[in-house]
Amino acid sequence: MAALESALTYLAANADRFWKALGIHLELAAASLAVAAAVCIPLGIWAARSPAAGNWAMNVIEALRVVPSLAVLILVFPYLGFGARTAMVALSILASPPILVNTYVAYRNIDPAVLEAAVGMGMTPGQILRWIETPLAAPVVMAGIRTAASEVVASATLAAFIGGGGLGEFIVNGLAMNNVGLLLVGGIPVALLALLAEGLLSIPEYVVRRRIR
Amino acid sequence: MTHLEPAIVLDRVSKTFPGAARPAVSECSLTVGAGELVVLLGSSGSGKTTLLKMINRLYEPTSGTIYVNGQDVRAVSAVELRRRIGYVIQQVGLFPHQTVAQNIATVPRILGWDRKRIEERCDFLLELMQLPPEQFRDRRPRQLSGGQQQRVGIARALAADPPILLMDEPFGALDAITRETLQDELLRIQAQFQKTILFVTHDVDEALKLADRIAVMKDGRIEQVGTAIELLHRPATPFVRQLLGADDWLQRLSVVPVRRAMNAEPEVAAASSAQPLPAEASLRDALEALLRSDLKPVPIVDRRGRRVGVVRWEDVRAAAGDPFGQVVSP
């Protein structure tokens, strides 16, 4: 309880620092997620069109998922040095597998009869992608983004280790100073953010899923 | 059927899939007249679906030429060609995220029809398929029974009023009663709008019931083309005889509609004192009616009750492949 009290005291005295760190944390997470989505959704769609290569690539990616986030950060760090940019690259890499795999699976699993009907009626590949495949694949793709989001929000904490800022700073400092209160200033919001990301992103997913069924 | 404008012409069409040892379709030639309903009949692997899918270029032939309305199908883009040909498949393939109305509107929307015209067309087609528009328009495919789904599938294929309809075992997944109902409705629509229909099935009874002409396929080749009665009466090969079960003639007569053997002689029909038969009745019904009328010509009436023709003893006997030989000659 004493730790929580000291955390609140710290927060009251350093509100500016906290909000700034929270802002950086969210920015970092959102930007990484956006980059990962922008790269992985098209890549996943493309992979779904060439099943042989796609399957092989997905297996490799699934295997790579076991590499922990800290390891990714450490691996990128020597090439890009300190700072938020390095953290963003590492977090984007972390966010990629769930988005890529879900996109691939979503576009692969569209009912072949639906596609045959679409082609048979004279829809162009672009029309089929926009009007048929993407709406049908959307819920699964969004589930992938949701998984990636909670992973990224949690892992963005690690950015502080390489000077990327964010809520991790409090944790790093708390650990260094052996100050549990300071640790909680970073730790509790990160945990809440991860839950919030999961919860908020399941709303649009639910809406899209309902539309399809 | 030389008096009809040819709508679909297949000229020595062959298809060998990459890596396949033998062709899926080989040297098939067939002419389908405008407004004609031709059935491609064969067991699975006979090449009938492959042949069908080459017409709307889902497959490209290895050799040979296909003409639709006099034009080589390769002369236009595949996408444009398909918009002018209705396509119905066994699994229906309705778009699950769209309403019934949106599904039906697919091709009109691509063609850029205005909203009002699309809505009117949609309601018209739903009514045609016996689905009250106000009740079905906004439903999702999963809220429909199998039969209702295929009704929407047919409505969707007819949406832009294509002159030609390709149907790939459209009723194969339906229960027997629903199948019969939809077969009847297809015939009604066919009679009303004179669509050219190429219909694939492995169901002999379905072929006999629906077809103006049947093309029997085996191992990628067309074994014989002819009317139901011609095939039953003069099977060209032992396979055709066996497939149609021409030996079990009484059974076969019960699925061939009497209108296939009817003589368009309204005066004779008007004069006949025998009990009239509806045009949809089978030749077996006709046989019964003939026996009851002491083999006097039986008048045939259409849906509106008009006497349009007669069927005689000789017609039924010919259709049955003359099972009695010379033993009975009235």
Side-chain angles (χ1 to χ4, degrees), chain A residues 111 113-125 127 131-133 135-136 210-213, chain B residues 53 56 58 79 82-83 85 87 89 91-98 106-107 109-110 140 142 156:
Chain A
D111 182 357
V114 165
L115 294 179
E116 186 184 339
V119 174
M121 279 190 290
M123 294 175 90
T124 64
Q127 287 164 339
W131 296 348
I132 309 299
E133 291 179 291
L136 287 176
R210 253 182 64 111
R211 278 234 321 259
I212 291 183
R213 295 276 175 78
Chain B
K53 285 183 175 179
N56 63 355
L58 292 173
V79 164
R82 290 174 193 145
R83 289 173 192 169
I85 300 177
Y87 186 51
I89 57 177
Q91 311 87 329
V92 193
L94 292 181
F95 305 142
H97 59 302
Q98 296 183 350
T106 304
V107 178
R109 209 175 102 189
I110 295 173
R140 303 266 173 197
R142 70 175 169 107
R156 184 172 68 170

Side-chain angles (χ1 to χ4, degrees), chain B residues 121-184:
Chain B
R121 180 71 185 162
C122 190
D123 285 358
F124 170 79
L125 288 167
L126 282 172
E127 256 158 40
L128 182 71
M129 296 314 300
Q130 321 273 352
L131 300 169
E134 42 315 319
Q135 204 182 324
F136 283 93
R137 201 189 279 137
D138 297 321
R139 287 211 198 167
R140 303 266 173 197
R142 70 175 169 107
Q143 298 168 310
L144 305 177
S145 70
Q148 289 168 340
Q149 288 189 17
Q150 194 54 290
R151 283 167 192 269
V152 176
I154 294 170
R156 184 172 68 170
L158 290 170
D161 207 11
I164 295 173
L165 218 50
L166 304 179
M167 308 184 87
D168 190 0
E169 307 228 13
F171 310 140
L174 304 174
D175 64 84
I177 295 167
T178 312
R179 190 186 313 141
E180 293 240 343
T181 317
L182 277 168
Q183 286 167 349
D184 292 338

Side-chain angles (χ1 to χ4, degrees), chain B residues 3-185:
Chain B
H3 57 287
L4 296 172
E5 280 285 303
I8 303 170
V9 178
L10 306 174
D11 183 17
R12 284 165 294 141
V13 173
S14 299
K15 172 73 181 178
T16 308
F17 286 105
R22 55 178 202 84
V25 167
S26 86
E27 298 279 318
C28 284
S29 296
L30 177 70
T31 301
V32 182
E36 199 182 9
L37 197 165
V38 172
V39 169
L40 295 175
L41 174 66
S43 47
S44 58
S46 61
K48 56 195 193 302
T49 293
T50 307
L51 190 58
L52 187 82
K53 285 183 175 179
M54 285 192 277
I55 295 165
N56 63 355
R57 292 183 64 185
L58 292 173
Y59 296 146
E60 299 289 352
T62 314
S63 66
T65 314
I66 298 171
Y67 302 91
V68 167
N69 295 325
Q71 189 180 38
D72 186 338
V73 292
R74 283 167 298 194
V76 284
S77 80
V79 164
E80 264 174 68
L81 175 80
R82 290 174 193 145
R83 289 173 192 169
R84 288 186 267 140
I85 300 177
Y87 186 51
V88 181
I89 57 177
Q90 183 178 336
Q91 311 87 329
V92 193
L94 292 181
F95 305 142
H97 59 302
Q98 296 183 350
T99 63
V100 164
Q102 288 169 328
N103 265 283
I104 295 173
T106 304
V107 178
R109 209 175 102 189
I110 295 173
L111 296 176
W113 290 17
D114 63 62
R115 178 192 287 266
K116 189 157 169 289
R117 188 175 168 207
I118 292 179
E119 274 170 16
E120 281 170 7
R121 180 71 185 162
C122 190
D123 285 358
F124 170 79
L125 288 167
L126 282 172
E127 256 158 40
L128 182 71
M129 296 314 300
Q130 321 273 352
L131 300 169
E134 42 315 319
Q135 204 182 324
F136 283 93
R137 201 189 279 137
D138 297 321
R139 287 211 198 167
R140 303 266 173 197
R142 70 175 169 107
Q143 298 168 310
L144 305 177
S145 70
Q148 289 168 340
Q149 288 189 17
Q150 194 54 290
R151 283 167 192 269
V152 176
I154 294 170
R156 184 172 68 170
L158 290 170
D161 207 11
I164 295 173
L165 218 50
L166 304 179
M167 308 184 87
D168 190 0
E169 307 228 13
F171 310 140
L174 304 174
D175 64 84
I177 295 167
T178 312
R179 190 186 313 141
E180 293 240 343
T181 317
L182 277 168
Q183 286 167 349
D184 292 338
E185 305 217 342

Side-chain angles (χ1 to χ4, degrees), chain A residues 17-64:
Chain A
R17 263 193 82 185
F18 175 78
W19 292 119
K20 193 169 163 241
L22 181 68
I24 291 175
H25 196 99
L26 287 176
E27 222 173 279
L28 205 56
S32 310
L33 204 59
V35 170
V39 174
C40 293
I41 292 174
L43 213 59
I45 296 172
W46 176 77
R49 301 240 185 282
S50 41
N55 245 334
W56 184 83
M58 290 309 134
N59 285 333
V60 172
I61 287 162
E62 279 291 345
L64 286 179

Side-chain angles (χ1 to χ4, degrees), chain A residues 6-164:
Chain A
S6 82
L8 287 171
T9 318
Y10 179 88
L11 204 58
N14 300 280
D16 286 359
R17 263 193 82 185
F18 175 78
W19 292 119
K20 193 169 163 241
L22 181 68
I24 291 175
H25 196 99
L26 287 176
E27 222 173 279
L28 205 56
S32 310
L33 204 59
V35 170
V39 174
C40 293
I41 292 174
L43 213 59
I45 296 172
W46 176 77
R49 301 240 185 282
S50 41
N55 245 334
W56 184 83
M58 290 309 134
N59 285 333
V60 172
I61 287 162
E62 279 291 345
L64 286 179
R65 272 177 102 160
V66 300
V67 178
S69 12
L70 191 59
V72 175
L73 211 62
I74 304 295
L75 287 172
V76 176
F77 169 63
Y79 299 97
L80 294 171
F82 279 100
R85 201 172 59 124
T86 309
M88 221 185 88
V89 172
L91 290 174
S92 301
I93 293 172
L94 271 175
S96 292
I99 300 179
L100 195 56
V101 171
N102 276 41
T103 305
Y104 172 76
V105 170
Y107 281 84
R108 274 293 304 271
N109 287 352
I110 292 171
D111 182 357
V114 165
L115 294 179
E116 186 184 339
V119 174
M121 279 190 290
M123 294 175 90
T124 64
Q127 287 164 339
I128 294 171
L129 182 67
R130 269 175 288 137
W131 296 348
I132 309 299
E133 291 179 291
T134 299
L136 287 176
V140 178
V141 174
M142 283 165 85
I145 294 176
R146 182 164 53 95
T147 308
S150 49
E151 272 178 34
V152 162
V153 164
S155 300
T157 316
L158 301 173
F161 283 103
I162 53 165

